Structure formats: C-alpha cells, structure tokens
Amino acid sequence: MVKLSDFVGEVVSELSAARQAADMASVQLSQTYHADSFLKEMPVPHYTIDEAEIAFPLSVIKMFSDNSEDMEQEIVNAIKLKLPGILFLAFKNAYKEKTQNELRKKQEEKLAKDNTSVTAAPSPTDDILVELDEALEKEYSKASNRISIRVEDKMKIYLAASNMDIVKPLDIKDVFMEQLQKEYVIEFSEYDKEQQPAADNEGLSMLIQSVGTSIFFEFAKATTGSGVLVDPSTGKLSEYMSKDNMMTIKMKVREQDLDFVVTGDDKNGNAKRFLSLS
C-alpha cells in the first residue's frame, strides 16, 4: 500500500530516469561515433519521450483526513484491531525461541561434560520442533487481549493530551512501547518463569521492540495527513477483485526540458542562475 501522490510521483520519476538512461546511452554512442572514421560523419541517435500516456488499475484502501480526532481514532483502532494478534504471535515466537535456547544450552553442557566437541552433534533445535501446549496457548491468547485493552486505555489518555499537529509516529511508538512493557510485567508477574514468553530482560526488550516495530506502521499511516492510500499491485488485484470494482487512472505526461538561465551577477559577484522551461 502507498499514498496515491507518492505512487504518481514515483511513476513520473521513473520516466525521468528513463530519459536519463537514454541520454547516457547517446553520450556513449557519440564517443563510439567520434572514434570511427565513417560513423563520425553521421548524426548520433537520440530519443526522447515526447509524451507518454499511462493507465494503471488501483484499489483504494483508505482516505486520510487532517482532522486530529480522526488521527487519534485511527491509532486507537489500530491498537484495538491489530495489537491482540501481533502480541499473541510475539508471545508464541518468544516462548519457542526461549525453549530452543534452553535445549541448546543443556545439550552444550552435556557435551562439554562428556568432553565431546559441541560441533560434533547437531543442535537440538535442528531436530526438535518446539510447540506450545494447548493450555498455555489459550493463556497467551487471553493475556494478549487483556494487555491490549489496558494499553488501548493508556494510549487514549496520552493521545487526548497530545497535540496531534506536531506529535510524530516515533513519539507515539515510544510511549506505546513503554506502556506495553509495563502491562506485560503486570500480566505475567503471576506466571511461573518457565511459562513466561521472554526468558529475561533482554528477551523482553526484544519482544517489546518487535511488537513496537510491527504496530509503528499503523501509527505512521494514521499520521500521514490527508491523502488517499491505494494498492497498485496489479497482479494481486486481478486475483481477488472483479474488473467492476477496480478503479483505473489514466495519466498523460509530456516531456519538457529545463535549462539553467544566467541573468548576471548578484551583489557578491556570483552568477544568478535559475531553472527555466525551454
């Protein structure tokens, strides 16, 4: 997904890059022509894109508003709808990694005790698939929902007191991660250590950072200001959308050359130069 203005800008930029590549090819050809006794009498080929008309299908995902209340609601909705699933997956992955590391450590200790090279035997994680038991998986799912609700409430308070015209997505992410870590500690304080997702403070920090990075993109989308978010993935569009639901935008681009114009010297003796259409 991308903002429509960014997508159109990139298309025009690519056409400019194509013109640049054509000019560079002409320069290389001119050197070849100049070195050849027959070719140097002939004009060097040079092509330009006088006019290009492009049509591309798009799927409109969302329209953004500059209204600060709308931005707040977008962020709250992202936490409400996205965070439980992101947390649940993060808890499971952290638990599996912790268990794998514990198995690896036990094997290394056993191999060291037996005076056997650690590299002589495979790591247990190569042969053993770590899975959560059903009961712990259900507990993680409930914990994800409870933490999400509490974080959502805390973020509502923060956003209501913030100036959404100047607050940055990274600022929101930092506050979010701080609240998330606090709620994680509260939630898992009653769990046995072996049932906690993170092994230690370092593991917890990595878990919080991972979740913060995942949700950050939702915050960034909510604070981009007014605009239209679109999906230009034409290959995917044809798979899950009928032609009746696809919007097609036609864009005509004309090539115009820019030249530097010199109008004399300024008070410091420097030449006044500016770009002007040819």
Side-chain angles (χ1 to χ4, degrees):
M1 294 180 288
V2 65
K3 285 187 68 174
L4 179 59
S5 57
D6 293 336
F7 176 72
V8 173
E10 284 298 324
V11 171
V12 176
S13 178
E14 287 297 309
L15 291 175
S16 299
R19 167 65 190 272
Q20 180 186 18
D23 288 344
M24 292 176 65
S26 294
V27 170
Q28 294 174 351
L29 279 175
S30 68
Q31 295 171 346
T32 302
Y33 275 46
H34 181 72
D36 187 281
S37 58
F38 290 100
L39 289 177
K40 69 179 182 181
E41 303 298 332
M42 300 179 182
V44 178
H46 181 239
Y47 301 95
T48 61
I49 305 171
D50 182 50
E51 186 174 275
E53 184 171 329
I54 308 169
F56 42 83
L58 293 173
S59 172
V60 177
I61 305 300
K62 189 181 295 184
M63 295 187 68
F64 291 99
S65 168
D66 279 328
N67 189 300
S68 60
E69 292 183 1
D70 292 342
M71 292 183 188
E72 289 180 36
Q73 192 59 50
E74 287 286 343
I75 294 171
V76 171
N77 288 341
I79 295 173
K80 179 184 295 185
L81 299 176
K82 303 281 186 178
L83 184 56
I86 293 174
L87 270 182
F88 181 51
L89 181 61
F91 290 164
K92 292 198 297 180
N93 289 339
Y95 177 84
K96 290 177 183 179
E97 183 177 355
K98 178 187 75 170
T99 306
Q100 288 173 342
N101 289 336
E102 290 172 351
L103 289 172
R104 183 184 293 110
K105 184 177 180 180
K106 288 179 180 179
Q107 187 187 55
E108 290 173 350
E109 291 174 350
K110 183 178 183 303
L111 291 172
K113 186 176 181 180
D114 295 340
N115 295 320
T116 306
S117 172
V118 175
T119 58
S123 166
T125 56
D126 295 333
D127 302 319
I128 301 174
L129 180 63
V130 177
E131 292 290 347
L132 279 76
D133 62 63
E134 187 175 345
L136 185 57
E137 189 165 349
K138 287 182 179 178
E139 286 301 317
Y140 280 1
S141 178
K142 294 177 182 178
S144 300
N145 289 325
R146 288 192 294 264
I147 292 174
S148 297
I149 291 173
R150 296 199 297 268
V151 171
E152 178 188 340
D153 291 339
K154 297 290 178 59
M155 292 302 293
K156 282 181 180 178
I157 297 172
Y158 163 74
L159 293 169
S162 300
N163 184 345
M164 296 304 293
D165 293 330
I166 61 175
V167 71
K168 303 296 183 184
L170 282 174
D171 298 329
I172 300 173
K173 175 188 174 184
D174 289 342
V175 174
F176 167 82
M177 290 171 56
E178 180 182 349
Q179 296 300 330
L180 178 60
Q181 182 159 337
K182 289 180 180 178
E183 296 303 331
Y184 174 97
V185 172
I186 294 172
E187 180 68 30
F188 288 101
S189 60
E190 301 298 324
Y191 279 61
D192 293 334
K193 189 170 183 179
E194 61 270 17
Q195 290 186 321
Q196 295 178 8
D200 48 32
N201 289 336
E202 182 181 355
L204 174 56
S205 178
M206 292 176 62
L207 187 154
I208 298 298
Q209 184 66 46
S210 172
V211 175
T213 300
S214 297
I215 204 75
F216 168 75
F217 297 104
E218 300 298 326
F219 297 162
K221 284 190 287 186
T223 55
T224 51
S226 60
V228 181
L229 190 67
V230 298
D231 186 352
S233 306
T234 53
K236 295 179 181 178
L237 289 174
S238 61
E239 293 177 5
Y240 62 80
M241 292 184 64
S242 70
K243 292 183 178 179
D244 295 334
N245 295 327
M246 291 171 63
M247 177 182 74
T248 300
I249 293 181
K250 289 186 177 180
M251 183 172 68
K252 183 177 288 187
V253 181
R254 290 180 56 198
E255 181 174 293
Q256 290 181 289
D257 293 326
L258 288 173
D259 292 328
F260 271 112
V261 178
V262 181
T263 60
D265 295 339
D266 59 18
K267 62 181 181 180
N268 296 321
N270 299 317
K272 294 179 181 180
R273 305 177 68 189
F274 61 91
L275 284 171
S276 176
L277 291 173
S278 299

